[in-house]
């Protein structure tokens, strides 16, 4: 079957094979038309009830490595959840949206202002070093003082980690953007690491916004998505994630369930406590204390399948 589409400027032919999407590039039910959802009795993704639980604030301890069950080296970043608890709960009735303000770490009274001290004293919680707000669904609101530790996450799930990247100061175009620079041969004078021309003269008569030039590098908020949780140690409140995490050692980062790894109803992984340990379906259940390690897929699946055959 061949379909020809003609527009005002061009015409193109799309065959049935060209309309077939490649695996991994489309979402669930993305190719269905609106009337097909009603015919097949499938609810649209935006019509399903969403579920989103709170995340946690963690301290970047550093990096290490381990060898998994396949003998492959796994680079790991260690995150420490330091006394993370709910400081303030925001409800749709009062603030207009559902969210939880989480606090982690500790400070002395002389290190904060009177307004900050009143914020903690009014809620009866300890003074926290770092505060951050997490959006949640209304059924995932937790009372003030609820502790969220490493057992909140599961080994084998994916998380999104947000933090401040390492600041590099004012840098040139070669370090900041990877420019090649000007020729290093004869004739170039004091311009070896310059970026060269930055635009035309009369037309447009200005430099385009977003032009890659020298400037401040780093010290920006960045999010690394779909970080694999390799190990969870509730006894020491440590989380081991595969790969790098933005920021220096000792900086706070935001850890929450991966947004792009869940089903259409939300990003809460199967088996995870919702909304937290001691609430909802997990009321009365004790927090796990033993460390758990995820089982990673083999690094060379094709090679192992051929050996089994």
């Amino acid at each position: 079957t061949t379909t020809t589409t003609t527009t005002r400027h061009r015409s193109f032919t799309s065959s049935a094979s060209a309309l077939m999407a490649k695996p991994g590039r489309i979402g669930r039910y993305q190719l269905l038309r609106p009337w097909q959802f009603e015919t097949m009795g499938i609810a649209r993704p935006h019509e399903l009830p969403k579920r989103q639980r709170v995340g946690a604030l963690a301290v970047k301890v550093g990096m290490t490595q381990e060898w998994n069950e396949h003998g492959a080296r796994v680079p790991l970043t260690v995150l420490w959840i330091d006394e993370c608890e709910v400081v303030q709960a925001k409800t749709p009735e009062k603030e207009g949206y559902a969210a939880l303000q989480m606090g982690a770490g500790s400070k002395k009274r002389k290190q904060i202002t009177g307004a900050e001290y009143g914020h903690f004293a009014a809620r009866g919680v300890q003074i926290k070093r770092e505060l951050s707000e997490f959006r949640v669904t209304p059924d995932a609101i937790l009372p003030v003082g609820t502790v969220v530790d490493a057992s909140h996450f599961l080994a084998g799930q994916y998380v999104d980690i947000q933090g401040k990247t390492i600041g590099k100061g004012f840098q040139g175009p070669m370090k900041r953007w990877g420019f090649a620079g000007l020729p290093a041969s004869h004739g170039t004078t004091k311009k070896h690491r310059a970026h060269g021309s930055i635009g035309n003269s009369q037309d447009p008569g200005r430099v385009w916004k977003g032009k890659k030039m020298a400037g401040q590098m780093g010290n920006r908020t960045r999010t690394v998505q779909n970080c694999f949780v390799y190990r969870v140690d509730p006894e020491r409140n440590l989380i081991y994630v595969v790969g790098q995490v933005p920021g220096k050692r000792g900086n706070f980062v935001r850890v929450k369930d991966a947004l792009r790894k869940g089903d259409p109803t939300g990003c809460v992984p199967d088996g995870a406590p919702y909304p937290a340990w001691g609430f909802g379906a997990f009321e009365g259940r004790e927090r796990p204390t033993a460390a758990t390690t995820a089982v990673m897929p083999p690094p060379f699946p094709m090679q192992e399948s051929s050996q089994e055959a």
Side-chain angles (χ1 to χ4, degrees):
T1 304
T2 303
T3 304
T4 304
T5 304
T6 305
T7 61
R8 180 180 178 182
H9 301 286
R10 62 174 182 172
S11 63
F12 60 93
T13 303
S14 60
S15 61
S17 60
L19 294 177
M20 294 178 62
K22 295 183 178 180
R25 296 190 179 181
I26 60 174
R28 193 179 183 184
Y29 307 139
Q30 189 173 346
L31 297 180
L32 297 181
R33 298 291 186 267
W35 59 270
Q36 292 176 325
F37 285 94
E38 301 177 0
T39 304
M40 301 175 63
I42 302 175
R44 299 185 185 182
H46 66 275
E47 297 176 350
L48 298 174
K50 298 295 182 179
R51 296 200 315 160
Q52 186 175 3
R53 61 176 188 161
V54 70
L57 287 173
V59 179
K60 180 179 177 180
V61 179
M63 293 199 67
T64 183
Q65 61 183 8
E66 285 194 10
W67 280 262
N68 59 10
E69 63 275 8
H70 305 287
R73 187 181 66 88
V74 183
L76 301 172
T77 300
V78 184
L79 304 176
W80 173 43
I81 300 181
D82 180 21
E83 299 180 359
C84 183
E85 61 177 325
V86 180
V87 176
Q88 182 182 5
K90 298 187 177 182
T91 59
E93 294 76 18
K94 186 176 181 181
E95 285 82 10
Y97 64 98
L100 291 176
Q101 185 186 72
M102 306 298 294
S106 60
K107 271 186 176 182
K108 296 180 180 179
R109 170 63 182 89
K110 63 180 182 181
Q111 293 178 301
I112 61 175
T113 63
E116 293 174 339
Y117 178 74
H119 179 72
F120 295 112
R123 291 159 180 83
V125 296
Q126 298 293 328
I127 300 175
K128 298 298 178 180
R129 178 169 293 273
E130 186 76 10
L131 294 175
S132 186
E133 186 176 288
F134 293 86
R135 288 291 189 100
V136 297
T137 48
D139 61 337
I141 296 180
L142 301 173
V144 175
T146 304
V147 177
V148 175
D149 57 5
S151 62
H152 189 70
F153 302 95
L154 301 178
Q157 77 164 102
Y158 293 87
V159 293
D160 294 341
I161 302 178
Q162 184 182 77
K164 280 266 191 177
T165 58
I166 299 176
K168 303 293 184 179
F170 192 96
Q171 297 297 332
M174 293 185 67
K175 181 178 177 65
R176 191 184 185 197
W177 301 110
F179 282 13
L182 298 186
S185 59
H186 298 285
T188 304
T189 305
K190 299 181 181 180
K191 286 289 184 179
H192 300 283
R193 300 183 63 86
H195 46 62
S197 174
I198 60 173
N200 300 331
S201 179
Q202 184 175 352
D203 186 15
R206 60 186 176 89
V207 179
W208 294 105
K209 290 183 178 181
K211 177 66 179 175
K212 294 180 179 179
M213 300 175 64
Q216 172 70 32
M217 181 179 178
N219 195 27
R220 298 177 184 237
T221 301
R222 291 292 181 263
T223 303
V224 179
Q225 295 184 336
N226 303 333
C227 296
F228 184 77
V229 179
Y230 178 75
R231 176 178 296 169
V232 175
D233 190 351
E235 187 177 357
R236 296 188 295 172
N237 266 342
L238 297 179
I239 300 176
Y240 298 77
V241 297
V242 178
Q244 72 282 1
V245 170
K248 291 184 178 181
R249 291 193 299 263
N251 286 6
F252 280 94
V253 294
R254 289 164 47 96
V255 185
K256 61 180 182 179
D257 298 327
L259 180 63
R260 301 180 184 274
K261 283 291 184 179
D263 54 13
T265 61
C267 53
V268 181
D270 296 335
Y274 185 83
W277 290 104
F279 298 92
F282 291 82
E283 184 176 359
R285 298 178 58 177
E286 297 182 358
R287 302 171 184 260
T289 57
T292 56
T293 304
V295 178
M296 301 190 68
F300 306 106
M302 299 296 295
Q303 182 178 358
E304 292 193 359
S305 60
S306 61
Q307 292 177 356
E308 294 177 358

